[in-house]
Amino acid sequence: MTLSFFDQFASPTHFGIPLMALALTLPWILFPTPSARWLNNRLITLQGWFINRFTQQLLLPLNLAGHKWAAILASLMLFLISLNMLGLLPYTFTPTTQLSLNLGLAVPLWLATVIIGMRNQPTAALGHLLPEGTPTPLIPILIVIETISLFIRPLALGVRLTANLTAGHLLIQLIATAAFVLLPIMPTVAILTATVLFLLTLLEVAVAMIQAYVFVLLLSLYLQENV
């Protein structure tokens, strides 16, 4: 049975039951739970330090009204990093390569920022659709362009995360296949290919963390415009 390179992105099923919910639930089981003790272990201390540093860096440009989103953004950051990193392990499935999941995360959060802006400061929120000093003949065109760009934001969030992770997984699989094919024919070239594969894997680890950070960072920027 010949498998396609894109079969790794198919949603896994067992006896016809989709396992997407299991793939989304598993990362939360791996997180250490805080304890009531005065002294925690190293893992919980490292997790707390990471969350504190990330929250300070992310919420620095936001005012106090935007700090209410700290728990949501920090949880989303940990969730996306865990899914992206676990997806780099062999024989695993990466849920964040599914556009439907990424749009399911991006659209509600983006819509919440827009609704907050329309409720708290409708004049300023609508003012983003028309830059100051626009010539009168260009006003209708710019309003249409800015409205389209506003509605494209959640689509860009989902597509960016999906495309980067999908491209990385495909490159890893292509280079790994080339290394296995070249091993009995040209061992030297196969070793060089395996070295490239190792470096690409390190790059994908960085991409998995960076894309999760970019996803949450852009959400915080959208929030900054509306609070």
Side-chain angles (χ1 to χ4, degrees):
M1 180 179 177
T2 304
L3 297 178
S4 170
F5 283 129
F6 292 93
D7 288 340
Q8 60 176 320
F9 305 115
S11 181
T13 58
H14 187 65
F15 294 115
I17 302 174
L19 301 180
M20 176 68 80
L22 179 62
L24 294 176
T25 308
L26 182 61
W28 295 110
I29 304 176
L30 303 177
F31 294 149
T33 55
S35 63
R37 295 178 299 178
W38 287 10
L39 295 178
N40 294 319
N41 56 33
R42 293 182 178 88
L43 188 58
I44 295 180
T45 304
L46 180 62
Q47 178 184 346
W49 174 84
F50 172 76
I51 293 176
N52 289 334
R53 294 294 300 172
F54 167 73
T55 307
Q56 291 175 5
Q57 184 71 24
L58 192 66
L59 301 182
L60 189 62
L62 296 178
N63 54 24
L64 293 178
H67 292 183
K68 300 176 183 178
W69 285 60
I72 297 177
L73 296 179
S75 301
L76 181 63
M77 175 73 176
L78 287 175
F79 184 58
L80 290 178
I81 283 184
S82 302
L83 290 178
N84 295 346
M85 298 291 287
L86 289 175
L88 293 174
L89 297 176
Y91 302 103
T92 56
F93 171 69
T94 313
T96 45
T97 56
Q98 306 295 313
L99 182 60
S100 57
L101 172 67
N102 296 333
L103 289 180
L105 293 174
V107 172
L109 293 172
W110 164 82
L111 188 60
T113 62
V114 174
I115 292 175
I116 288 175
M118 291 295 183
R119 185 188 65 180
N120 295 340
Q121 43 182 10
T123 305
L126 293 176
H128 292 299
L129 301 178
L130 184 62
E132 186 177 358
T134 304
T136 305
L138 297 179
I139 288 178
I141 300 175
L142 279 181
I143 290 178
V144 173
I145 293 175
E146 291 296 329
T147 304
I148 293 174
S149 67
L150 177 66
F151 284 98
I152 282 179
R153 284 179 175 182
L155 182 62
L157 278 178
V159 170
R160 180 185 296 107
L161 183 58
T162 303
N164 281 282
L165 294 180
T166 303
H169 283 61
L170 282 176
L171 276 176
I172 288 177
Q173 188 171 3
L174 285 170
I175 295 178
T177 304
F180 277 111
V181 171
L182 292 174
L183 186 59
I185 305 173
M186 293 179 286
T188 306
V189 179
I191 292 174
L192 292 177
T193 307
T195 306
V196 173
L197 177 62
F198 175 73
L199 296 176
L200 180 61
T201 305
L202 295 180
L203 177 63
E204 281 304 306
V205 171
V207 168
M209 294 186 288
I210 291 172
Q211 288 304 316
Y213 177 73
V214 168
F215 189 94
V216 179
L217 178 63
L218 289 176
L219 276 177
S220 68
L221 293 179
Y222 300 156
L223 179 64
Q224 181 183 355
E225 294 181 358
N226 294 285
V227 294

